[in-house]
Amino acid sequence: MALFQRRKVELKTQLSSYATHHLRVFVSSLGRLYQFPGPSAMTVAVIAIALALPTGFYVALKNAQRLSGGWDGATKISLYLAPHVSEQQGLNLSNRLKPHRQIESLRYISQSEALNEFADRSGFGDALNALDNNPLPAVIVITPLIDKEDPQALDRFRHEMERLPEVDIVQLDMQWVKRLLGIMSMVQRGLLVIASLLGVAVILVIGNTIRLDIQNRAREIRVQKLIGATNTFVRRPFLYTGFWYGLFGGIAAWLLVSIGLAFLAGPTSRLAGLYQSNFSLSYLSFGGGLTLLLLSIALGYFGSWLAVGRHLKEIEPGQ
Amino acid sequence: MIRFDNVYKRYESGQEALSGIDLLLDKGDMCFLTGHSGAGKSTLLKLLTAIEEPTRGSLLVNDLNLGKMPKWRIPYLRRQIGVIFQDHQLLFDRTVFDNVALPLVIEGYRHNEIQRRVRAALDKVGLLKKEKLFPMTLSGGEQQRVGIARAVVNKPPILLADEPTGNLDPELSEDIMKLFGQFNEVGVTIMIATHDLDLVERLGHPVVSLKEGKIIRDDLRERRGATP
Ligand SMILES: Nc1ncnc2c1ncn2[C@@H]1O[C@H](COP(=O)(O)OP(=O)(O)OP(=O)(O)O)[C@@H](O)[C@H]1O
Ligand SMILES: [Mg+2]
């Protein structure tokens, strides 16, 4: 009777059936999530929140960096010229400085221009007219080129300017920008720490969910092992479940971040309007979103892999 | 095909379930394993499927020494052995078809091959019309036959059954035992643990009897002794 003549399954057949099997397990593990929508949704929500927090902070930080990038351009160095320097000498100096590689642009403000400007802005015009001579020095206002890689460059440039005989005082309005950049790089570090912790939380949440799933299906696992299933076979649906949790958690996190930013967009542009700025919030980029998804999937897969590694071995037939 | 050499099994509780078992089944042998409750029948079958490990002695299945076998080979051993349990061990959230298909899915058979073989196995046990039902909706005897179909669907060279007729009526029991007889006729090595001494006598297959973990009757050995 043909029923009991064992035949070797051919390799080619095996490969194509292997792919079909993977596909089936892939889809059926999704089906299982759908079967228990309540608990599945809860897990997805926890993952989404845990991922949305650092992602949202990250986007906020990027926005802040963009904003401060604008301030970099506003950094000015003022060279107050000595009183004995004549207007012609001042102009000569500014022409000499123009090609300097650390200077983006400069403007020479003569003593009289300085006085006019001050009179306009301060409203003390009449009082100033009462003075015998002009107390204000001539100024060269320099917009420096800022090399973010080399924060010391600006200091060196400043010393170089101080050594010029025509220059009395060099004023660098930079300190606060530096501080801000320093704070931001600290925030960035902090964000990395928080993101790592929340990443671990995601792994634990998925691990725990998968552990419960394994316990619920202990009988099925025993039966499968009893009739010759390898650990790889038993493990597969759980790994795919982790994948799905990661994927859905990532998508939900992306949505949360986008909704949160949309929520902030109105007030931000109104605030920017008050400062005559046309700054507007930038959202999570498409590439950033994909990175979030990939990361989330990786965490989901890893979490279930850990849970499966720990708990599947405990379930053996005969208990 | 199956060879026990001075095999002992002591459970962690200290209970000695088997002591000094010597037993030989050639390819195509079929025997009944009898004995009182607690005699060690289930333990003996569990050793064969590597659910339990022998404490002492050597145990060979299909020239594979189970004591020296690495753990990763256990699944491949189990694919050589179809096992039928008193409590069926069916999956209740899957249809009859999917239950019977499971060993083939595990071994990575192609979809149409799975269809063909599952239908053949279900036909053999007379359940072809019930492939779409769930096990819960079947009678005890039908569930048992699903279990048998699952055990034979990948054509294993060895079949083990632990009280396959435990809670079936005599008529159904005899049908199922005859089914085993048919598998045996095509060369499958079969061992059936049972309490049902009447049925054993009627069917006339060789008997191996256990008492307190020792073999007290071995028709297979006697038969070999009579015709060496
Ligand atoms: N997992 C276990 N741990 C400890 N002792 C066990 C275990 N399984 C069985 N035993 C003991 O081993 C002995 C043999 O048990 P076994 O189940 O093999 O008997 P059996 O012949 O199958 O009995 P029955 O006919 O009632 O099924 C019994 O004394 C039993 O209490
Ligand atoms: Mg028993």
Side-chain angles (χ1 to χ4, degrees):
Chain A
M1 199 168 76
L3 194 64
F4 279 100
Q5 284 164 7
R6 267 188 91 72
R7 251 181 299 151
K8 283 263 179 290
V9 186
E10 278 174 47
L11 185 67
K12 202 177 135 207
T13 319
Q14 190 119 42
L15 280 181
S16 97
S17 68
Y18 190 68
T20 328
H21 168 68
H22 265 270
L23 195 67
R24 281 184 61 146
V25 175
F26 190 59
V27 175
S28 73
S29 60
L30 176 61
R32 269 191 71 86
L33 291 195
Y34 187 71
Q35 234 180 328
F36 305 100
S40 306
M42 214 112 91
T43 304
V44 167
V46 172
I47 297 166
I49 292 168
L51 290 174
L53 279 175
T55 311
F57 281 131
Y58 170 80
V59 175
L61 186 70
K62 280 285 158 220
N63 275 304
Q65 278 172 345
R66 212 157 50 84
L67 200 58
S68 69
W71 293 332
D72 277 358
T75 307
K76 298 276 194 278
I77 296 175
S78 305
L79 309 181
Y80 294 94
L81 303 186
H84 61 79
V85 179
S86 71
E87 185 159 341
Q88 190 52 51
Q89 284 172 319
L91 273 171
N92 287 346
L93 176 63
S94 68
N95 285 333
R96 235 167 54 226
L97 287 176
K98 224 167 227 160
H100 195 289
R101 63 190 157 74
Q102 270 187 294
I103 294 178
E104 191 179 293
S105 64
L106 54 70
R107 187 159 76 93
Y108 174 73
I109 302 169
S110 70
Q111 274 189 297
S112 51
E113 281 168 346
L115 188 64
N116 289 340
E117 227 171 85
F118 183 70
D120 279 355
R121 289 220 190 143
S122 64
F124 289 127
D126 294 340
L128 286 169
N129 283 338
L131 291 175
D132 290 343
N133 56 358
N134 182 352
L136 296 176
V139 190
I140 298 176
V141 180
I142 297 174
T143 306
L145 277 172
I146 293 180
D147 183 3
K148 283 215 177 85
E149 307 291 305
D150 184 7
Q152 254 70 62
L154 211 59
D155 273 339
R156 285 201 302 275
F157 177 65
R158 172 206 178 135
H159 290 307
E160 188 187 332
M161 294 298 105
E162 268 169 354
R163 281 196 298 275
L164 293 170
E166 295 93 337
V167 173
D168 207 1
I169 303 171
V170 176
Q171 195 183 327
L172 178 63
D173 240 356
M174 246 312 275
Q175 241 28 57
W176 67 275
V177 174
K178 259 191 184 163
R179 274 189 208 127
L180 187 72
L181 288 177
I183 288 172
M184 274 198 286
S185 81
M186 196 181 76
V187 169
Q188 202 159 13
R189 281 280 167 84
L191 191 59
L192 206 63
V193 173
I194 292 175
S196 312
L197 288 178
L198 287 170
V200 171
V202 168
I203 291 174
L204 292 180
V205 166
I206 292 184
N208 194 48
T209 309
I210 299 287
R211 182 182 63 85
L212 290 175
D213 201 19
I214 289 174
Q215 277 170 7
N216 287 335
R217 295 168 77 178
R219 188 171 169 278
E220 178 180 345
I221 293 168
R222 272 195 206 105
V223 171
Q224 286 179 341
K225 285 194 175 180
L226 212 48
I227 57 182
T230 55
N231 278 326
T232 318
F233 180 91
V234 178
R235 190 183 301 140
R236 203 166 289 142
F238 297 104
L239 293 183
Y240 280 135
T241 305
F243 167 90
W244 287 119
Y245 276 130
L247 178 67
F248 290 133
I251 291 174
W254 195 345
L255 274 176
L256 278 182
V257 170
S258 303
I259 292 170
L261 285 172
F263 192 62
L264 286 178
T268 308
S269 70
R270 245 174 283 140
L271 185 68
L274 289 182
Y275 285 91
Q276 270 98 48
S277 155
N278 57 2
F279 177 79
S280 71
L281 272 183
S282 61
Y283 288 81
L284 186 56
S285 67
F286 188 69
L290 281 189
T291 311
L292 172 66
L293 280 191
L294 286 182
L295 213 68
S296 167
I297 290 170
L299 288 177
Y301 198 83
F302 184 62
S304 63
W305 183 80
L306 281 182
V308 161
R310 277 179 55 98
H311 302 289
L312 225 48
K313 275 197 223 98
E314 294 162 11
I315 301 174
E316 284 292 338
Q319 288 161 341
Chain B
M1 187 54 81
I2 294 174
R3 186 190 186 102
F4 287 78
D5 271 321
N6 200 25
V7 170
Y8 285 77
K9 174 64 191 177
R10 183 193 295 272
Y11 283 107
E12 271 162 38
S13 61
Q15 174 72 38
E16 185 149 289
L18 294 175
S19 42
I21 298 289
D22 288 305
L23 183 63
L24 177 66
L25 269 85
D26 286 324
K27 183 171 161 37
D29 275 350
M30 171 167 176
C31 75
F32 285 113
L33 192 60
T34 62
H36 290 297
S37 181
K41 306 182 292 293
S42 298
T43 304
L44 194 145
L45 297 182
K46 282 179 187 165
L47 291 184
L48 284 172
T49 48
I51 292 172
E52 298 287 353
E53 284 174 62
T55 319
R56 254 174 68 193
S58 85
L59 171 51
L60 277 85
V61 175
N62 226 349
D63 295 328
L64 192 69
N65 190 332
L66 300 202
K68 299 207 172 83
M69 179 181 66
K71 257 193 155 31
W72 64 266
R73 292 201 67 160
I74 291 177
Y76 303 95
L77 165 76
R78 289 182 183 155
R79 291 175 193 184
Q80 305 277 309
I81 304 175
V83 189
I84 294 133
F85 308 87
Q86 182 174 353
D87 57 353
H88 330 307
Q89 299 278 2
L90 300 177
L91 298 179
F92 293 112
D93 58 349
R94 302 191 193 192
T95 61
V96 167
F97 183 96
D98 287 344
N99 266 284
V100 176
L102 197 54
L104 302 177
V105 174
I106 284 171
E107 281 191 66
Y109 279 80
R110 232 176 149 72
H111 186 62
N112 45 11
E113 182 74 3
I114 290 177
Q115 295 246 328
R116 201 177 64 72
R117 290 199 183 208
V118 171
R119 300 247 157 81
L122 282 175
D123 193 26
K124 198 96 200 71
V125 298
L127 285 176
L128 197 48
K129 289 204 182 73
K130 310 221 166 179
E131 63 170 33
K132 291 202 176 65
L133 298 181
F134 285 87
M136 271 310 193
T137 64
L138 301 181
S139 73
E142 286 170 332
Q143 289 185 9
Q144 192 56 277
R145 282 183 284 156
V146 175
I148 293 171
R150 187 184 67 188
V152 301
V153 73
N154 63 339
K155 303 176 188 173
I158 299 172
L159 265 187
L160 303 178
D162 197 352
E163 302 188 31
T165 59
N167 41 24
L168 303 181
D169 64 55
E171 208 175 317
L172 206 58
S173 299
E174 194 156 340
D175 281 353
I176 283 180
M177 290 303 186
K178 278 182 180 152
L179 199 56
F180 285 129
Q182 290 176 20
F183 293 130
N184 180 237
E185 276 164 26
V186 295
V188 182
T189 309
I190 301 182
M191 212 161 159
I192 303 166
T194 181
H195 277 130
D196 196 342
L197 296 178
D198 289 347
L199 190 64
V200 170
E201 292 307 324
R202 245 181 302 138
L203 291 171
H205 290 290
V207 173
V208 173
S209 246
L210 286 174
K211 186 178 182 188
E212 288 165 7
K214 294 191 175 64
I215 293 181
I216 53 166
R217 170 182 170 188
D218 185 349
D219 291 353
L220 291 166
R221 180 191 287 265
E222 266 172 38
R223 199 176 62 183
R224 277 195 304 275
T227 53

